[in-house]
Amino acid sequence: MSESLYFKKHVFFCMNERDDGRSCCAHRGAQAAQEHAKRRIKQLDQNGAGKIRINKAGCLDRCDDGPVLVVYPQGTWYTYVDQSDIDEIIEVDLIGGGVVERLKV
Amino acid sequence: MSESLYFKKHVFFCMNERDDGRSCCAHRGAQAAQEHAKRRIKQLDQNGAGKIRINKAGCLDRCDDGPVLVVYPQGTWYTYVDQSDIDEIIEVDLIGGGVVERLKV
């Protein structure tokens, strides 16, 4: 199947913002992380059809594990704290095809 | 791998809105379609972990094929015209495990 995938790796960042006091990815750095990932993938010339796509998404419904992102088609879920975590996910998973075990949720 | 997927089927609707005159999914019924799908999956008691998740997403970068949605982990892309197309995607793909060939992009 993989040769027919439109994007080799399709990444969705949960960007959900709650205003009821419950935790949400938006309040845990999701926007900065998504923008960093998008910029970095572009710098690496890895964005576009047949390569990698970094997307925003609405609530991914894993608030307790947030902030979260999911990488398809593998369905690997990660949390992250800062940009160095995002860089590691990019290097090891998106580019390298591996898994960053310590960030998996 | 599939037994470890958090969602059996994870669906992302492109909700992107352009204001520069170029075509975009938001101007082609994306919001109504996404809301319809979410409601229908809930009615069928198919929403949640281990089952199906209907999500909003930012621009999926397939504007010329829009409106579009993508079903992961399969990576099947569909366009749609109305709610009956969404119902068919739900019945045949999300619930039935098949593919709606006539709507594939």
Side-chain angles (χ1 to χ4, degrees):
Chain A
M1 153 181 285
S2 60
E3 68 260 48
S4 70
L5 286 168
Y6 190 81
F7 296 116
K8 195 176 64 180
K9 297 263 188 174
H10 201 165
V11 181
F12 295 89
F13 280 76
C14 182
M15 307 296 289
N16 194 46
E17 180 162 12
R18 292 187 185 283
D19 49 17
D20 60 2
R22 286 187 293 165
S23 67
C24 64
C25 294
H27 292 170
R28 294 174 174 182
Q31 185 170 337
Q34 191 268 344
E35 287 171 359
H36 175 74
K38 192 163 188 177
R39 196 168 46 238
R40 185 78 187 116
I41 291 299
K42 203 165 183 179
Q43 281 172 347
L44 294 167
D45 194 28
Q46 288 293 319
N47 61 307
K51 297 190 276 185
I52 296 167
R53 176 76 181 169
I54 304 293
N55 257 108
K56 295 179 182 180
C59 183
L60 296 180
D61 205 23
R62 295 195 64 173
C63 308
D64 291 343
D65 294 317
V68 292
L69 61 86
V70 58
V71 181
Y72 280 113
Q74 289 77 13
T76 308
W77 291 75
Y78 293 112
T79 189
Y80 53 86
V81 172
D82 55 24
Q83 294 191 350
S84 70
D85 288 342
I86 298 297
D87 287 338
E88 188 173 342
I89 292 167
I90 289 172
E91 184 180 336
V92 174
D93 185 318
L94 305 189
I95 307 289
V99 174
V100 185
E101 292 290 346
R102 71 177 187 89
L103 297 176
K104 273 183 74 176
V105 291
Chain B
M1 154 181 287
S2 61
E3 68 260 45
S4 69
L5 286 168
Y6 191 82
F7 297 117
K8 195 175 64 180
K9 296 264 188 175
H10 200 165
V11 182
F12 296 89
F13 280 76
C14 182
M15 308 295 287
N16 194 47
E17 180 163 12
R18 293 188 184 283
D19 50 17
D20 60 2
R22 286 186 294 165
S23 67
C24 65
C25 294
H27 292 170
R28 293 175 175 182
Q31 185 170 337
Q34 192 267 344
E35 288 171 358
H36 175 73
K38 193 162 187 177
R39 194 167 50 238
R40 184 79 187 117
I41 291 298
K42 204 165 182 178
Q43 281 172 347
L44 294 166
D45 194 28
Q46 288 292 319
N47 61 305
K51 296 191 278 186
I52 296 167
R53 176 74 181 171
I54 305 292
N55 257 109
K56 295 180 182 179
C59 183
L60 296 180
D61 205 23
R62 296 195 63 173
C63 308
D64 292 342
D65 295 318
V68 292
L69 61 87
V70 58
V71 182
Y72 280 112
Q74 289 76 15
T76 308
W77 292 76
Y78 293 112
T79 189
Y80 54 85
V81 172
D82 55 24
Q83 293 191 352
S84 70
D85 288 341
I86 298 297
D87 288 338
E88 188 173 342
I89 292 167
I90 290 172
E91 184 179 338
V92 173
D93 185 318
L94 305 189
I95 308 288
V99 174
V100 185
E101 292 291 344
R102 71 177 187 87
L103 298 176
K104 272 182 76 175
V105 291

